Amino acid sequence: MSDQLTLVVYSRAKPGMEEELGKRLLALVAPSRAEEGCISYDMHQSKDDPAVWMAYENWRSEEDLELHFQKPYLRAFADCKDEILAEPLDVRKFSLKS
């Protein structure tokens, strides 16, 4: 059984902050992909609503994800999220089954 973990995170920008949210989210991609426990880390923007972004992430393990949450760039995003997000992040964790 794999310990691999998939994270799907939805975020919605405040009106007028769509581009800023995208800029900040896209800045997380390269350093996250460089983490040892990162299998994949992709950022998507809704085709129907440009205020909605979705991160699709795969991690080796829960421990690797916890290390990710402690990284300075992720903490910096968390510290400023209230100024750009219209609502709390919707974070969903999945375990690999096939």
Side-chain angles (χ1 to χ4, degrees):
M1 183 68 62
S2 172
D3 287 336
Q4 183 175 322
L5 184 68
T6 298
L7 204 66
V8 179
V9 182
Y10 296 94
S11 54
R12 176 180 292 280
K14 287 182 178 178
M17 297 297 283
E18 298 86 357
E19 190 175 323
E20 182 64 23
L21 176 58
K23 185 176 114 184
R24 293 184 191 195
L25 289 172
L26 290 170
L28 301 175
V29 174
S32 296
R33 285 180 178 168
E35 291 180 46
E36 187 179 333
C38 181
I39 297 168
S40 64
Y41 193 98
D42 299 303
M43 202 61 65
H44 305 261
Q45 186 176 25
S46 172
K47 292 179 74 61
D48 300 319
D49 183 349
V52 176
W53 288 78
M54 185 264 293
Y56 180 80
E57 313 169 24
N58 287 290
W59 296 91
R60 273 189 323 206
S61 67
E62 184 82 39
E63 293 77 22
D64 289 310
L65 180 61
E66 290 304 318
L67 287 172
H68 172 64
F69 288 149
Q70 300 308 315
K71 298 294 182 185
Y73 47 88
L74 211 61
R75 294 183 92 125
F77 176 82
D79 289 345
C80 71
K81 70 184 186 316
D82 292 340
E83 67 190 56
I84 53 175
L85 295 179
E87 55 197 42
L89 293 172
D90 178 358
V91 180
R92 302 177 190 200
K93 290 182 183 179
F94 298 86
S95 56
L96 182 64
K97 299 299 182 189
S98 68

